[in-house]
Amino acid sequence: MPAEVDIELPPPAPIMVNARNLSSIESDSLVDTLTADDICKMFDEFLTEFERMEKRDTTTTQTFLDAVEEITNAVLSILPYKLLDSKVLAHPLMRFLNQMLSDLLANWRATEARLNIQESDIFLKIVLVFVHAVEHTSPANANADLQRVKDLVVTKTLLDLLRELTNYIALNKNGMNDDPNICTLGLMTVKLLKGCTLYYNIDRNTYFNDSLIFNCLDSYDYIQALRQLQNGQSLNDIERFLLYTCWEYVPFSSQNSKTTAYSAAFIDQFYDDALARFELTLDQEPSMSTNARTYIFERCQQLLNIQNFSSFDKHANNIFDRLTKMLEKPSSTTPHPDAMVIVALNAFLNLSKNVDIRTIMRKRQLTSLFNKYISNEAGEQQKLALSILAEIMDEKEINDNPTEMAKIFIDQINKLDPNKYDPDVDNTLSSLNAMMQHEEFKNEFVRQGGLDILIPFVRDGDPEIQSDKQLEDAIKILWSCTFNNPAALNTIKQNEKLMTRVNDLLEKSKENENTTLEKAAEGLIWKVEKEEKFIEERAAQAEKKKQEKKRKAEETGVAEEEEEEEEEQKYDLMISYCWAESELAHRIFGHLSEKLGYKIWIDIEQMHGSTIEAMANAVDGAEFILMCMSESYKRSANCKSEAEYAFNRKKHIVPIKMKKEYVPDGWLGFILGTRLYIDFGTYEFEQAMKLLDSEIQLQKKKRKEAKLFPRQEATVITTSDENRDNVKEEKICCKDSSKMKSDIFDWTEKNVRDFLRKHKLTAMIPLCNRINGEELNELYSMCKTNSSTMYRSLKSELLHCYNKILPIAVYLRFMSVMRSVCDDALLSSREIISESD
């Protein structure tokens, strides 16, 4: 029998945290009994045991790491906010943990960016000690507490190590990485070091963040975190950081080689790969949790909102394919079809907030898909489907059935309670505000009593309950109702209590620097209380100047009318644009002013800048109005106010189209009329600018010629009795009629009214109020282009604004008379020219 061999076992690891202290920490999480002094006494005992361990001859690297991990576990278990106590934070143990951070980072760098498993765990746990503390700061002392933690953690040694590691990661960790410490480093940097000067300039700090966030999202840990979410499992700190916090920094801001190790093309490829992975996940995991699907669609929306993303069209259509399938066949997609329908509708709604995505949705003709859910009984699905339709339906689809759409919205807002906060109201009012761009819907909404619901909501609401966003949307809706609707304007004007509340909200928004609510309140006040007075004052000033000129002319015998008119033109152009196209609008402004020398008025800050009265002064003081047309422009009450004011003031409008896919319709199409526009969406910028400059110069030339060479009235030749017999009466009549087309452009507002009365078209007079001959001709051109649609539009406007009927016979007679005045006269002119040839 072989002799027994004695095996020498390693000595047991020393205990850093005794059972009594562990019990106290566990009890404190339930009964909250530990004081700062108690915690400091514990920390003293931890350090005493650690020093004893270090002095033993048997201490090894493993023993050392075990001791550090045991202490770190104990500190991590203490209620985080208690670590922020000044006594606790100043204890040597906290500085010891911070020193361990630097030691681990140094070891990580020395071993070619690798720590072993235990070192990685300790690194993460120490970071979490400080992160949990700053996440539990009290609201009253949040900044001071955060600064005290930074003062402890942020040392020159630590920052130097971070710089070295970041450079190493950026240069050597391209592609999917499996180093978990990169994620921990990212967590520490974002949560603890945000705002610290890691480099000596902003660009290098941006580069630092980009490198870390990019590697965190391009890691195996991110894939694992996403899998946890798909399976409905709970998430740890790192997983929550990867899935949510990191995405707060997308898109990456560094887009050139001077400030980042990644080129713009490389980052663009990363976005492309990320979307491809999300799409693949949706296909491979049909039964994933609703939370996971919601998360993926939110990330897809975020990536698709990145400007100039090269794969935008491809991925937008890929996402729509999957969402459409979820709505068309919900039962085959998931065991919880109703929940998945809500997820899909929410995703569609969020995506539809992007104007370029709306364009794709319209091309795919998805209206019928959402109409199916509109017909469902009132509920979440109906609300979401209605909100989506409000975003994507075009003018024609709205005009096909404005009555029913208005009724559905009226039913929704009937449930509004001005003294009860309801987050669903936000979506309802936002969607209704989007619908107000459509004239027929707007008039139908007013006719069905929409004002009677919204006015009390704004007027009587509890200011402590209603959100600023709800009030902003409600006021914008009221403001939109006043355009081209005298009855609605009068209803709001007569409600003094409402306007008092709106004026109060204007002052409050100025104090709180809420510029969007301020603009909405200012807009409604302008339309209801100020615009008419402003125009009257301008007219009185003009009349006073006219009388003064007349007096001077009588005294001196020299007329100065033309010179005075030119002096009033302070600007060549006033640029009217929507903030969504501010980048292109400002580029156009820069080119026109700096390279071509035009004098231009533009509200550089748009939503945060000039008042509406300043805008009105700019319109009056400009020779031409450069109207930057887009869907966003049409949807904006601010822009509509500018456009309507310019149109009513008979200003010369030069339209430009900001996006290739946009087709102006509705009220914007009416103002555009038959005017030619410059398409900045189709032409290269330089070419479009040449066309725009040429158009402006052409219009300037025409105006100058009109002043220098006024059109002569058509006269019958009466030189002598002998010649009179030789004149053919018929030819004179033909020649006179051939001038009628051009004579229309000379008609004043009075000439237009007289013309309509003469031809028994009195029903058209309210519709043609305050328009001259040139605008009458444009109206006729629009009617020729789409006769039936224009009849419906004119009929609706006459009914809702003036409570009068437009018989089809009157409309047809109008078309016939205008044809004889314009088209037939032009044809006669061509025949005469042919005869003379």
Side-chain angles (χ1 to χ4, degrees):
M1 187 173 182
E4 294 183 3
V5 178
D6 292 333
I7 300 175
E8 185 175 352
L9 298 174
I15 298 175
M16 299 293 105
V17 183
N18 59 43
R20 176 176 49 80
N21 285 331
L22 281 177
S23 177
S24 297
I25 293 173
E26 291 173 1
S27 299
D28 187 56
S29 63
L30 299 175
V31 295
D32 193 11
T33 56
L34 284 179
T35 65
D37 290 332
D38 294 333
I39 294 172
C40 288
K41 184 178 179 181
M42 276 188 194
F43 285 0
D44 289 336
E45 294 178 12
F46 295 167
L47 287 179
T48 299
E49 291 299 325
F50 190 82
E51 290 170 359
R52 288 176 183 168
M53 178 273 299
E54 284 191 303
K55 293 176 181 178
R56 293 192 181 105
D57 294 335
T58 56
T59 299
T60 63
T61 300
Q62 185 62 52
T63 307
F64 179 88
L65 290 175
D66 289 342
V68 173
E69 186 168 19
E70 187 178 349
I71 291 172
T72 305
N73 286 337
V75 177
L76 191 57
S77 299
I78 295 173
L79 293 174
Y81 75 91
K82 294 193 175 185
L83 298 178
L84 292 170
D85 185 278
S86 56
K87 288 184 179 179
V88 177
L89 203 58
H91 193 278
L93 181 65
M94 300 299 283
R95 292 198 294 273
F96 165 77
L97 291 179
N98 188 51
Q99 181 59 47
M100 282 302 305
L101 272 182
S102 295
D103 292 344
L104 287 168
L105 290 175
N107 190 34
W108 186 11
R109 179 68 186 91
T111 55
E112 297 184 349
R114 277 292 176 181
L115 294 175
N116 65 37
I117 294 176
Q118 188 174 25
E119 287 173 327
S120 297
D121 287 342
I122 294 171
F123 179 32
L124 173 60
K125 288 173 181 177
I126 294 176
V127 167
L128 289 177
V129 166
F130 294 109
V131 168
H132 286 176
V134 299
E135 287 179 341
H136 289 80
T137 56
S138 64
N141 301 308
N143 292 333
D145 289 341
L146 178 59
Q147 188 58 50
R148 287 192 294 113
V149 175
K150 283 185 177 181
D151 291 341
L152 171 64
V153 175
V154 180
T155 63
K156 184 178 183 304
T157 300
L158 185 73
L159 294 181
D160 287 342
L161 287 166
L162 285 175
R163 283 194 288 268
E164 292 179 22
L165 282 166
T166 305
N167 283 327
Y168 181 87
I169 290 168
L171 295 174
N172 298 281
K173 291 290 183 178
N174 290 342
M176 191 74 68
N177 70 73
D178 60 351
D179 189 345
N181 300 301
I182 292 175
C183 301
T184 304
L185 187 65
L187 175 65
M188 180 176 73
T189 304
V190 169
K191 295 291 188 177
L192 299 179
L193 306 182
K194 188 175 182 180
C196 296
T197 306
L198 304 173
Y199 289 85
Y200 295 108
N201 59 66
I202 294 175
D203 285 342
R204 294 296 289 171
N205 281 330
T206 303
Y207 156 65
F208 181 88
N209 283 325
D210 282 0
S211 299
L212 283 175
I213 298 297
F214 179 85
N215 276 278
C216 287
L217 293 176
D218 202 32
S219 67
Y220 286 112
D221 286 306
Y222 180 80
I223 294 175
Q224 181 59 35
L226 186 58
R227 187 170 292 116
Q228 288 285 100
L229 186 66
Q230 292 170 22
N231 296 332
Q233 296 172 321
S234 59
L235 303 174
N236 61 34
D237 289 277
I238 282 291
E239 288 163 347
R240 285 193 294 272
F241 168 73
L242 291 171
L243 291 174
Y244 298 102
T245 306
C246 283
W247 282 92
E248 295 173 10
Y249 295 84
V250 174
F252 303 122
S253 54
S254 297
Q255 294 292 311
N256 62 75
S257 57
K258 293 182 180 179
T259 57
T260 181
Y262 311 111
S263 67
F266 185 88
I267 293 177
D268 194 72
Q269 184 62 49
F270 168 75
Y271 296 147
D272 184 42
D273 292 341
L275 278 166
R277 286 199 297 269
F278 285 137
E279 291 159 10
L280 185 62
T281 301
L282 290 170
D283 293 338
Q284 292 182 338
E285 304 290 342
S287 61
M288 75 170 71
S289 67
T290 55
N291 286 340
R293 282 187 181 272
T294 299
Y295 171 83
I296 289 176
F297 287 129
E298 286 175 351
R299 302 288 74 78
C300 291
Q301 175 198 355
Q302 188 175 355
L303 291 169
L304 290 173
N305 281 335
I306 295 172
Q307 291 187 350
N308 304 317
F309 177 38
S310 61
S311 301
F312 171 82
D313 285 346
K314 178 184 76 174
H315 288 296
N317 279 294
N318 287 345
I319 295 301
F320 288 149
D321 288 341
R322 287 151 181 82
L323 286 171
T324 301
K325 182 180 178 182
M326 290 173 64
L327 293 182
E328 288 177 341
K329 300 178 180 179
S331 59
S332 63
T333 305
T334 172
H336 306 288
D338 289 340
M340 282 299 121
V341 166
I342 296 295
V343 169
L345 290 173
N346 264 311
F348 263 124
L349 178 58
N350 292 331
L351 287 164
S352 71
K353 301 298 181 180
N354 180 305
V355 62
D356 295 320
I357 293 178
R358 284 199 297 271
T359 300
I360 295 178
M361 291 176 73
R362 292 189 185 110
K363 285 182 178 179
R364 292 175 67 104
Q365 298 180 338
L366 296 173
T367 302
S368 60
L369 178 66
F370 303 117
N371 275 331
K372 180 174 68 174
Y373 291 95
I374 286 288
S375 60
N376 291 352
E377 61 183 35
E380 186 67 16
Q381 293 183 12
Q382 186 194 54
K383 290 180 182 178
L384 290 170
L386 186 64
S387 296
I388 297 167
L389 288 172
E391 297 290 342
I392 69 171
M393 291 179 74
D394 60 26
E395 199 81 20
K396 183 178 182 303
E397 290 173 318
I398 292 291
N399 291 345
D400 284 343
N401 194 7
T403 303
E404 184 61 27
M405 287 296 293
K407 182 179 182 302
I408 295 173
F409 269 102
I410 292 289
D411 291 342
Q412 292 285 345
I413 65 170
N414 252 324
K415 302 170 185 176
L416 298 182
D417 185 341
N419 295 309
K420 180 180 178 182
Y421 177 74
D422 182 356
D424 287 342
V425 172
D426 289 17
N427 273 340
T428 300
L429 291 175
S430 177
S431 301
L432 180 55
N433 185 36
M435 291 291 291
M436 301 309 286
Q437 65 178 299
H438 306 292
E439 289 295 299
E440 290 207 24
F441 173 87
K442 180 192 73 177
N443 292 330
E444 190 64 32
F445 174 80
V446 173
R447 190 185 70 79
Q448 293 189 27
L451 290 180
D452 297 334
I453 305 170
L454 276 183
I455 287 176
F457 180 80
V458 175
R459 182 191 63 204
D460 305 328
D462 187 338
E464 301 299 323
I465 294 177
Q466 288 177 313
S467 71
D468 287 349
K469 184 65 174 66
Q470 291 175 356
L471 288 168
E472 176 192 333
D473 283 332
I475 291 173
K476 282 182 177 178
I477 295 166
L478 293 176
W479 183 11
S480 295
C481 288
T482 63
F483 293 114
N484 298 319
N485 197 321
L489 176 62
N490 191 52
T491 298
I492 295 173
K493 184 181 294 186
Q494 291 178 351
N495 200 310
E496 295 181 3
K497 187 177 178 182
L498 167 67
M499 295 313 299
T500 298
R501 175 80 199 282
V502 175
N503 276 279
D504 289 342
L505 287 171
L506 175 62
E507 296 306 314
K508 177 184 174 184
S509 62
K510 288 180 179 178
E511 292 174 7
N512 298 335
E513 297 184 351
N514 185 336
T515 53
T516 55
L517 178 58
E518 177 187 344
K519 284 294 182 184
E522 184 194 19
L524 182 59
I525 292 168
W526 163 262
K527 194 67 182 175
V528 174
E529 298 179 349
K530 296 183 177 181
E531 184 180 39
E532 186 176 351
K533 294 179 182 177
F534 181 84
I535 293 174
E536 289 175 354
E537 289 172 1
R538 294 304 295 258
Q541 292 171 6
E543 180 62 25
K544 184 177 179 181
K545 288 182 179 180
K546 182 178 178 181
Q547 294 301 324
E548 182 65 20
K549 286 189 292 182
K550 184 177 180 181
R551 184 185 64 79
K552 288 182 178 180
E554 291 174 350
E555 291 177 356
T556 63
V558 179
E560 299 181 356
E561 294 182 6
E562 297 297 332
E563 290 77 3
E564 186 68 26
E565 182 180 346
E566 289 298 323
E567 288 179 3
E568 292 178 358
Q569 304 296 329
K570 298 178 182 178
Y571 311 101
D572 297 306
L573 292 164
M574 181 269 191
I575 299 182
S576 176
Y577 72 102
C578 178
W579 66 269
E581 281 83 38
S582 59
E583 183 178 350
L584 178 55
H586 293 165
R587 188 181 177 191
I588 293 170
F589 162 70
H591 191 102
L592 288 171
S593 59
E594 296 170 13
K595 294 188 177 181
L596 300 178
Y598 286 100
K599 190 175 182 182
I600 303 172
W601 190 95
I602 183 173
D603 182 359
I604 292 293
E605 298 183 14
Q606 188 68 55
M607 299 297 289
H608 312 289
S610 304
T611 64
I612 292 183
E613 186 169 332
M615 173 277 297
N617 279 316
V619 169
D620 287 335
E623 185 177 4
F624 297 100
I625 309 301
L626 190 61
M627 186 181 294
C628 302
M629 302 184 304
S630 68
E631 182 184 340
S632 299
Y633 188 95
K634 184 191 173 191
R635 291 162 69 102
S636 167
N638 286 281
C639 295
K640 186 172 184 180
S641 181
E642 291 181 13
E644 184 194 57
Y645 184 82
F647 182 78
N648 290 338
R649 298 291 284 171
K650 316 297 186 204
K651 301 300 295 187
H652 291 267
I653 295 172
V654 179
I656 63 175
K657 195 166 78 166
M658 304 294 275
K659 289 183 179 289
K660 181 178 181 179
E661 302 290 342
Y662 179 65
V663 177
D665 59 5
W667 69 263
L668 186 53
F670 181 83
I671 287 179
L672 174 64
T674 58
R675 295 178 178 90
L676 297 177
Y677 56 79
I678 310 301
D679 192 345
F680 274 78
T682 299
Y683 296 108
E684 294 292 334
F685 181 80
E686 294 295 332
Q687 184 180 3
M689 287 304 308
K690 288 180 182 178
L691 294 171
L692 177 58
D693 183 35
S694 298
E695 179 64 20
I696 295 171
Q697 291 302 321
L698 178 62
Q699 294 300 327
K700 279 179 171 286
K701 182 180 178 182
K702 286 183 177 179
R703 291 199 69 196
K704 187 175 182 180
E705 289 176 349
K707 293 176 182 178
L708 294 176
F709 308 106
R711 291 178 180 136
Q712 302 297 319
E713 294 292 333
T715 58
V716 178
I717 300 173
T718 58
T719 305
S720 65
D721 291 337
E722 297 94 302
N723 291 335
R724 186 178 302 127
D725 294 335
N726 296 325
V727 176
K728 293 183 179 180
E729 187 70 25
E730 295 83 358
K731 191 141 186 176
I732 292 174
C733 293
C734 288
K735 287 182 178 179
D736 186 60
S737 65
S738 71
K739 289 178 173 284
M740 293 186 72
K741 173 73 173 179
S742 62
D743 289 345
I744 290 178
F745 290 90
D746 294 330
W747 288 2
T748 65
E749 295 175 14
K750 183 178 183 303
N751 294 145
V752 170
R753 289 194 298 273
D754 291 344
F755 168 79
L756 294 173
R757 289 192 184 97
K758 177 182 177 181
H759 292 281
K760 299 180 181 180
L761 294 169
T762 53
M764 294 290 295
I765 291 177
L767 296 170
C768 299
N769 185 35
R770 296 176 67 181
I771 74 172
N772 57 28
E774 180 181 359
E775 292 155 350
L776 180 66
N777 180 62
E778 289 181 3
L779 174 61
Y780 169 59
S781 298
M782 293 172 64
C783 291
K784 278 202 308 179
T785 302
N786 198 333
S787 182
S788 59
T789 299
M790 282 300 298
Y791 171 64
R792 288 199 303 269
S793 178
L794 294 172
K795 180 181 178 182
S796 175
E797 180 177 343
L798 190 64
L799 176 63
H800 296 303
C801 297
Y802 303 98
N803 198 28
K804 295 182 179 180
I805 300 298
L806 178 61
I808 185 65
V810 173
Y811 178 72
L812 294 175
R813 185 163 64 251
F814 170 76
M815 294 296 290
S816 176
V817 170
M818 291 300 297
R819 188 180 302 113
S820 64
V821 171
C822 299
D823 299 349
D824 295 347
L826 185 59
L827 180 60
S828 297
S829 174
R830 290 171 179 166
E831 290 174 351
I832 291 168
I833 294 172
S834 178
E835 288 177 12
S836 64
D837 292 343

